[in-house]
Amino acid sequence: MTLLSIQGMTKRFGTQDALAGIHMEIQPGEVHALVGENGAGKSTLIKIITGVYGATGGRMVWEGKEAAFASPKDSKQAGINVVHQDRQLIPSFSGYENLFLGEAYPSILRGLRVKWSEMVRRGEQLKQELGMDLDLRKTASAMTPPERTMLEMMRAMMHNCKLLILDEPTASLTDRETALLFSWIGKLRSEGRSVLYVSHRMEEIFQLSDRITVFRNGMKVGTVMTSDTSREALIRMMSDHKERQAGVHAERSAGADPASRKMLLRAEAIRTTDGIVKHADLTVHSGEIVGVFGLAGAGRTELLEAIYGTRECTQGNVTIEDRRIRLPKPALSIQNGVVLIPEDRRAHGLIGSMTIRENMTLPVLSRFANGWHIRHQAEKSEVTDRMERLQVKATGSEQPVLQLSGGNQQKVVFAKALLSAPSVLLCDEPTQAVDVMTREEIHRLLRHQAAQGCGVVFVSSDLQEVLDIADRIVVMREGRTAAELPNTGVTAEQVLGLCYESGV
C-alpha cells in the first residue's frame, strides 16, 4: 500500500499558483528526493503535508485514507515528522526544553510541574541512542548552526515516525554530522520507514535516494528512478534548458598578480574576544575573489564578523585602503565600502516583518530622504531596478520578504548590500540552501563585481565551490590562517591536507 499519495494538489496565494495540479506518491521504506529551483513549490508542498497550509484544491491520501491535516500536531500524530529549512527553536530555551517543548510526555510531568531530572535523563539517553555529541544544557541561541540542526534532528527522531521530511538538512552540517544523519536515514529505510529528502546538493540526492521528483514553477516535471538519471538530466528538468556552464576556472578573474592591484582591505593578527579566532590575516585586492576555507570551527565566519565589526576583537588591525580602523563597527564598515552577506540571512540579513523595498533601502535610506520626507518614487524605482537586475521572483517590491523562496531572499540580501556601492564584499556561505541555478547566478554576480574592481571574500563549506570561483584561497585551521594559495592547479586533496595538519 502506498504510504502517501498526493492527487491534483493545488495551492494558490492570491492570483499566484504556488502549486498547480501536483501528483506524487511516496512508498513505504523509500527515500524519495524532491528537487527544484527555489520557488518551485517544494516548501509549499511540505507545509500542506504537515498541516501548516490548507490546499486550494486536490486531495491527500495517507495510508489508504483521505487526509487533510488541520495542524502540524495532527500530522505528527499521524506519524509525519519534519525538520524545516528554517529552524523551529526557541532561542532562550535550553536544548532539553526545546527537545520536549509541546510534547505530551507524562513521565516528565507532575501536574503543572516539570520533572527536570527525568527530562535530562531522557535527553541524554536519546543522545546515546543516536550517537550524538551535543551539550543540551546550552540555549539554542548559544548553539552553532550545526548544533541547532542536530537538535532539530533529535526532536524529529524522538517519535515513532512513518515519514520523516528533511528540508535542506545538511546545509550547515559538518562532514561528521552529515555522515551521522545518513546513517539514521539508512536505519529508517531498513525499518520500512520513509524519508522525503529535499536538497540542492546533487551528490546527496544520488547517494541517498531511490526515486527523485522534480518540481518547476509550482508544477511536477516528472519522477525518475535515481539509478536511471544523471545530474545533467535533472538540471535540464529543473531549468527547462541545457545546463549553463559554470565557467569555473575560465571565468575567474585570475591571471593578474595581486601585488599589481590596489589593496582594498588588510586584516592583520586578528584575535577575537571569545578566542575562536586566535591569529588570522587576510588581504583583499581590487578585482579578485579570495576564497576562505576551513573545517567546522576553524573561525571563518568569526573572522569576517571581526573585520566587519559585529564580533569584538582583543588584538589585530583592520585597514580599508589607506584608512586604519581601530575599532570596526558595521556602520563604519559600510561607510568605508565594506559590506557583509551573513551566513544566516533570516536572522542577520533581513527583517522579516518588512517588505522587499524596506529591506533593500534600510541601510541607505538617507539617500532617498529630503529632510524628513522620503522620496518614495525614487526609492521604489531604485528597488525595482535592482530586482530586475538580480531577477528576484516576486509579485512586486511591496511583497513581504518572508513570502519569497530562500534563493530570492538571498538575492534581496545581495541587492541591499550592492545599494551601498561597496568596494569589498564579505560573503559568508552566500549560496547555502539555494538551488543550482540561483547558485550560478550568485557566482556570475560575484565575478561581475570583481570585474568592476570590487574585492570579494568568499566563505563556503563546499570546497569544490571555493576551487571553482576563487583566485586565491586562504585556509583556516583552529582559528588561524594556516596557508594562502594562488588558485592555479590547487587540488581538493591539497587544501584538505592543510586543514587536517596539526601543529599550527
Side-chain angles (χ1 to χ4, degrees):
M1 179 178 65
T2 297
L3 180 66
L4 175 66
S5 177
I6 303 294
Q7 302 173 6
M9 188 69 71
T10 298
K11 179 62 180 177
R12 185 173 296 112
F13 294 99
T15 60
Q16 189 173 6
D17 282 336
L19 293 175
I22 297 295
H23 292 269
M24 180 179 171
E25 291 184 346
I26 298 176
Q27 304 299 332
E30 81 163 333
V31 178
H32 195 121
L34 179 59
V35 301
E37 296 188 33
N38 283 305
K42 306 183 299 296
S43 294
T44 300
L45 178 68
I46 290 172
K47 289 176 180 177
I48 291 174
I49 293 173
T50 56
V52 176
Y53 292 158
T56 305
R59 60 198 292 260
M60 181 167 65
V61 178
W62 174 253
E63 295 188 304
K65 297 179 181 179
E66 187 163 351
F69 301 123
S71 69
K73 182 178 179 180
D74 289 346
S75 68
K76 185 176 289 188
Q77 288 178 342
I80 301 173
N81 287 323
V82 60
V83 176
H84 291 284
Q85 179 179 337
D86 302 314
R87 302 293 165 245
Q88 310 290 308
L89 301 171
I90 296 181
S92 60
F93 279 20
S94 70
Y96 295 114
E97 291 169 309
N98 272 291
L99 198 59
F100 290 95
L101 183 65
E103 304 298 340
Y105 283 94
S107 62
I108 65 169
L109 296 174
R110 183 183 291 117
L112 296 177
R113 297 181 60 187
V114 176
K115 297 167 63 177
W116 295 102
S117 59
E118 180 64 14
M119 181 185 289
V120 170
R121 188 192 69 79
R122 292 286 300 274
E124 293 303 310
Q125 180 183 356
L126 183 61
K127 275 173 51 178
Q128 291 182 359
E129 291 173 357
L130 297 177
M132 186 180 298
D133 182 18
L134 179 63
D135 186 355
L136 295 174
R137 296 170 298 178
K138 293 198 296 186
T139 62
S141 62
M143 293 181 178
T144 64
E147 287 174 333
R148 289 194 289 269
T149 298
M150 298 309 284
L151 178 57
E152 290 266 23
M153 298 290 181
M154 284 186 67
R155 191 159 66 178
M157 299 291 282
M158 286 171 65
H159 303 277
N160 185 24
C161 69
K162 300 172 183 176
L163 173 62
L164 177 62
I165 302 176
L166 300 175
D167 190 1
E168 296 292 346
T170 63
S172 63
L173 298 186
T174 65
D175 290 344
R176 179 186 175 279
E177 292 157 345
T178 298
L180 186 59
L181 170 63
F182 288 0
S183 71
W184 294 343
I185 292 174
K187 184 174 185 293
L188 289 171
R189 176 196 268 150
S190 68
E191 294 172 350
R193 309 176 197 274
S194 303
V195 176
L196 179 60
Y197 194 88
V198 181
S199 178
H200 296 306
R201 299 186 175 184
M202 291 292 179
E203 65 276 12
E204 296 177 2
I205 294 297
F206 281 94
Q207 179 179 346
L208 292 172
S209 68
D210 302 299
R211 292 191 297 157
I212 305 170
T213 292
V214 180
F215 278 14
R216 184 176 70 240
N217 297 329
M219 295 181 286
K220 174 185 167 183
V221 180
T223 297
V224 295
M225 296 296 297
T226 306
S227 58
D228 294 338
T229 191
S230 66
R231 176 181 181 273
E232 292 73 20
L234 286 180
I235 290 175
R236 284 194 295 270
M237 292 173 72
M238 281 189 282
S239 60
D240 199 25
H241 56 74
K242 291 183 179 179
E243 178 185 5
R244 289 176 284 188
Q245 294 299 314
V248 287
H249 300 289
E251 291 188 28
R252 289 205 319 259
S253 54
D257 181 1
S260 67
R261 302 172 180 175
K262 180 180 180 180
M263 194 279 290
L264 297 178
L265 183 143
R266 175 181 289 120
E268 302 171 287
I270 299 296
R271 179 183 180 85
T272 56
T273 303
D274 54 22
I276 296 176
V277 179
K278 298 175 175 62
H279 191 285
D281 304 307
L282 182 70
T283 58
V284 186
H285 298 85
S286 173
E288 72 168 345
I289 299 177
V290 180
V292 180
F293 185 77
L295 304 176
R300 302 164 305 171
T301 293
E302 292 79 9
L303 175 59
L304 264 59
E305 292 175 346
I307 294 170
Y308 185 63
T310 55
R311 186 173 293 264
E312 186 178 351
C313 294
T314 56
Q315 174 185 307
N317 299 305
V318 175
T319 303
I320 302 174
E321 296 191 20
D322 57 351
R323 296 181 294 277
R324 176 71 64 86
I325 309 299
R326 187 180 66 84
L327 190 63
K329 296 291 182 183
L332 184 60
S333 294
I334 293 173
Q335 180 183 331
N336 286 315
V338 178
V339 297
L340 174 67
I341 306 295
E343 178 181 14
D344 189 339
R345 57 177 170 262
R346 292 286 293 273
H348 305 298
L350 298 169
I351 298 179
S353 60
M354 288 186 170
T355 66
I356 296 170
R357 171 184 58 80
E358 291 168 330
N359 270 282
M360 278 195 194
T361 61
L362 186 61
V364 293
L365 199 56
S366 59
R367 182 192 305 174
F368 305 101
N370 185 5
W372 293 100
H373 176 68
I374 301 296
R375 295 180 292 114
H376 291 294
Q377 191 59 44
E379 180 192 21
K380 188 171 183 179
S381 176
E382 182 80 11
V383 168
T384 300
D385 178 63
R386 293 289 177 176
M387 289 177 66
E388 290 175 354
R389 288 194 205 179
L390 273 67
Q391 300 178 29
V392 178
K393 294 180 180 178
T395 58
S397 62
E398 300 308 303
Q399 184 174 2
V401 74
L402 288 188
Q403 289 184 4
L404 303 182
S405 67
N408 284 296
Q409 288 179 16
Q410 188 72 330
K411 290 179 183 180
V412 172
V413 173
F414 267 101
K416 180 177 74 170
L418 295 176
L419 273 173
S420 64
S423 58
V424 177
L425 275 168
L426 305 176
C427 303
D428 191 7
E429 301 282 6
T431 62
Q432 179 174 284
V434 303
D435 62 82
V436 175
M437 306 313 295
T438 302
R439 176 176 166 133
E440 288 187 16
E441 289 174 10
I442 291 173
H443 287 178
R444 283 196 297 274
L445 171 66
L446 295 179
R447 292 189 187 104
H448 174 75
Q449 291 300 122
Q452 299 299 309
C454 189
V456 177
V457 179
F458 187 89
V459 169
S460 177
S461 299
D462 185 336
L463 176 53
Q464 188 56 54
E465 183 178 29
V466 173
L467 292 170
D468 286 348
I469 197 171
D471 302 314
R472 282 189 297 123
I473 300 174
V474 172
V475 180
M476 291 197 67
R477 182 175 68 247
E478 297 176 2
R480 304 172 185 269
T481 46
E484 180 180 316
L485 309 168
N487 192 10
T488 51
V490 176
T491 66
E493 290 76 15
Q494 287 176 299
V495 176
L496 288 173
L498 291 166
C499 290
Y500 284 106
E501 283 181 1
S502 59
V504 179

